[in-house]
Amino acid sequence: MENSKIAWTDHTFNPWWGCVRVSPGCEHCYAETFSKRVGWHVWGAKEQRRPMSDKYWKQPGVWNYAAHMASTRARVFCASMADVFEDRRDLDEHRERLFGLIKATVNLDWLLLTKRPENIKRLFPMMWSVDQEDGGEMPDN
């Protein structure tokens, strides 16, 4: 979504939709409610997640170019309809693709919110295993 209505971000990007509740903070999850409203059955441990199209994945490149041309930075709220750090092997390739995209879009500041901070260190090396030259370090953006 370009020009997000969320005050603290410029764009939202959802690499996939779906999640499972893990804490009391999930009780009133707007993403679960919204996905059910549009008829997507992507919530729960046994449900498949819904990855977005290749065309959709091109949007951050456009935002990155626009930020570069304007000599500014743009903020991207990532995974408002999911949790990047949900520990599911079927999401590994999508996480790797996401972190490659983050690394490539240097004019965008990516905001990753999670209810699973305990998974970050464990999933982080897997996400960066594609590029060994950076030593597994997270990019500045």
Side-chain angles (χ1 to χ4, degrees):
M1 175 185 296
E2 197 163 352
N3 301 318
S4 175
K5 293 181 183 179
I6 301 171
W8 44 266
T9 193
D10 301 299
H11 309 285
T12 57
F13 179 78
N14 290 287
W16 61 85
W17 277 37
C19 198
V20 64
R21 294 179 183 208
V22 293
S23 75
C26 300
E27 185 176 341
H28 301 289
C29 179
Y30 73 92
E32 180 180 7
T33 301
F34 186 73
S35 68
K36 287 179 180 178
R37 188 178 307 145
V38 298
W40 290 1
H41 303 284
V42 294
W43 236 260
K46 295 182 180 180
E47 296 292 340
Q48 292 294 314
R49 302 303 177 245
R50 183 167 197 244
M52 303 309 285
S53 70
D54 287 340
K55 181 179 178 183
Y56 180 84
W57 278 77
K58 292 180 182 179
Q59 291 177 352
V62 173
W63 305 333
N64 184 66
Y65 180 75
H68 171 73
M69 295 306 289
S71 296
T72 188
R73 302 194 63 75
R75 288 185 173 177
V76 179
F77 176 21
C78 183
S80 65
M81 301 301 289
D83 190 324
V84 171
F85 298 103
E86 181 182 13
D87 192 7
R88 290 175 53 130
R89 300 291 58 87
D90 60 323
L91 297 175
D92 289 346
E93 71 178 275
H94 304 296
R95 269 191 287 271
E96 287 183 12
R97 183 177 184 188
L98 172 63
F99 277 81
L101 178 64
I102 290 171
K103 185 176 179 180
T105 52
V106 297
N107 298 292
L108 303 178
D109 291 324
W110 290 80
L111 309 170
L112 304 175
L113 285 75
T114 183
K115 290 204 173 16
R116 298 166 172 87
E118 69 279 3
N119 293 345
I120 294 172
K121 285 184 181 179
R122 189 166 28 82
L123 295 176
F124 177 77
M126 187 182 324
M127 291 183 281
W128 289 103
S129 64
V130 175
D131 184 1
Q132 295 298 321
E133 291 180 12
D134 64 13
E137 294 181 21
M138 189 174 284
D140 293 337
N141 64 327

